[in-house]
Amino acid sequence: MRIYSQLMPIRALTFDIDDTLYDNRPVIYRVEQAVILWLSKIIPSHITLDVNSWLKLQQQLAIIDPMLKHNGREWRRKTLKIGLMQLGFRLNEAEVLAQQGLDVATKIRNQIDIPDETHIVLKTLSAHFPLIALTNGDVDVDKIGLSQYFVEVYYAGRDGLSKPEPDLFNLAKQKFQLPAENILHVGDHLKADVHGAKQCGFQACWFNDQKQQIPQEPTANTMPDVEITQLSQLLEMVGIEQSTDIKTYS
């Protein structure tokens, strides 16, 4: 753990979800593979599935409508719909199939093995502090077994613009009814989480389990207050004695 500035008293915490409470990279890989497999089954056999063209379409749609980047589900649905129409499907067919593709992605998206450490840390913290989750993703916190630890979960798209925009942070502050400087946000992304939290007056904890170096990170325009490499270090930070179960991760 590295402390970069003196911490104010912590009375509540907010958490990023993806890549903070679990490793989301293999999950996203499985999602994309599942969608590609699904597409290969519905596209006529004489048409070659060009994955790069779908990625290019996704980026083009975000240029046309930048708000799509704040709503991952709608971005995926619209990419599927437009892509299928470009392949010759009629509008009504494309809309129905796009929803089916989104359902395929959502099912895999919520098949996650949450580390035991995450459960232990969140359970321990939630017994002492109110916790709120703030996510730019669309994972169902109830389906992956984490909802019991949070008093609220705010989603980009459904509840406001994605981090680092202030919408979700402001919602958390309103829910807590606490000064922003007494709220600690924990997240893995230096721009979305650290910069987003700091610009709203929150304290920011950078979860750096990938051994990154701040000077080498292109998104590092704001220093965190503290850096941790394991979630269990949060307990030491807030003055909670670690249980035997937690110590096994240290």
Side-chain angles (χ1 to χ4, degrees):
M1 178 166 55
R2 295 181 179 178
I3 298 177
Y4 298 108
S5 61
Q6 184 174 355
L7 294 172
M8 297 287 289
I10 297 167
R11 298 172 60 190
L13 294 91
T14 57
F15 280 87
D16 171 56
I17 298 179
D18 296 333
D19 289 319
T20 298
L21 301 181
Y22 52 83
D23 186 355
N24 194 47
R25 287 159 298 184
V27 180
I28 294 302
Y29 177 78
R30 291 196 301 270
V31 168
E32 299 305 331
Q33 291 301 112
V35 172
I36 290 170
L37 178 61
W38 172 79
L39 281 169
S40 70
K41 293 178 179 179
I42 66 167
I43 291 176
S45 58
H46 66 277
I47 297 177
T48 301
L49 179 60
D50 183 355
V51 177
N52 289 330
S53 68
W54 286 85
L55 295 174
K56 184 177 180 180
L57 173 61
Q58 184 182 48
Q59 295 305 316
Q60 289 173 336
L61 290 175
I63 293 173
I64 296 170
D65 182 3
M67 292 299 291
L68 287 174
K69 288 189 175 182
H70 296 286
N71 190 332
R73 288 178 61 83
E74 178 61 17
W75 194 5
R76 182 184 293 278
R77 190 196 66 78
K78 196 164 187 177
T79 300
L80 288 169
K81 185 184 80 170
I82 300 300
L84 290 167
M85 290 177 65
Q86 290 179 347
L87 293 177
F89 289 86
R90 296 192 299 269
L91 173 60
N92 60 337
E93 293 177 315
E95 289 180 336
V96 171
L97 288 171
Q99 184 58 51
Q100 292 178 7
L102 185 59
D103 292 343
V104 169
T106 300
K107 180 179 179 180
I108 304 300
R109 183 75 174 86
N110 291 315
Q111 295 176 354
I112 301 172
D113 293 324
I114 304 297
D116 290 342
E117 180 184 16
T118 296
H119 282 290
I120 295 171
V121 170
L122 291 179
K123 181 178 180 180
T124 304
L125 285 172
S126 64
H128 296 80
F129 303 93
L131 311 180
I132 287 178
L134 312 176
T135 179
N136 287 353
D138 61 351
V139 69
D140 189 319
V141 175
D142 186 49
K143 288 183 177 179
I144 65 173
L146 293 179
S147 61
Q148 68 269 30
Y149 307 123
F150 299 108
V151 297
E152 191 60 82
V153 180
Y154 294 120
Y155 290 89
R158 187 192 74 178
D159 299 313
L161 301 181
S162 60
K163 300 172 295 179
E165 296 299 326
D167 298 35
L168 304 187
F169 295 103
N170 286 338
L171 285 173
K173 180 184 174 183
Q174 292 169 12
K175 180 70 175 180
F176 286 140
Q177 290 292 295
L178 291 171
E181 61 266 25
N182 295 128
I183 305 170
L184 178 71
H185 179 68
V186 183
D188 71 291
H189 201 279
L190 285 166
K191 182 177 181 180
D193 292 305
V194 172
H195 178 69
K198 292 295 288 182
Q199 72 174 351
C200 289
F202 287 37
Q203 299 184 88
C205 174
W206 181 36
F207 178 61
N208 179 23
D209 65 334
Q210 300 299 309
K211 299 181 179 179
Q212 298 169 295
Q213 300 296 320
I214 291 179
Q216 299 173 5
E217 292 301 312
T219 60
N221 57 356
T222 304
M223 283 292 293
D225 296 291
V226 62
E227 173 185 341
I228 60 174
T229 57
Q230 293 178 297
L231 284 181
S232 57
Q233 293 171 323
L234 287 171
L235 302 184
E236 176 187 350
M237 186 191 313
V238 299
I240 298 175
E241 184 176 351
Q242 295 186 15
S243 67
T244 302
D245 290 337
I246 282 290
K247 290 177 181 178
T248 63
Y249 297 101
S250 302

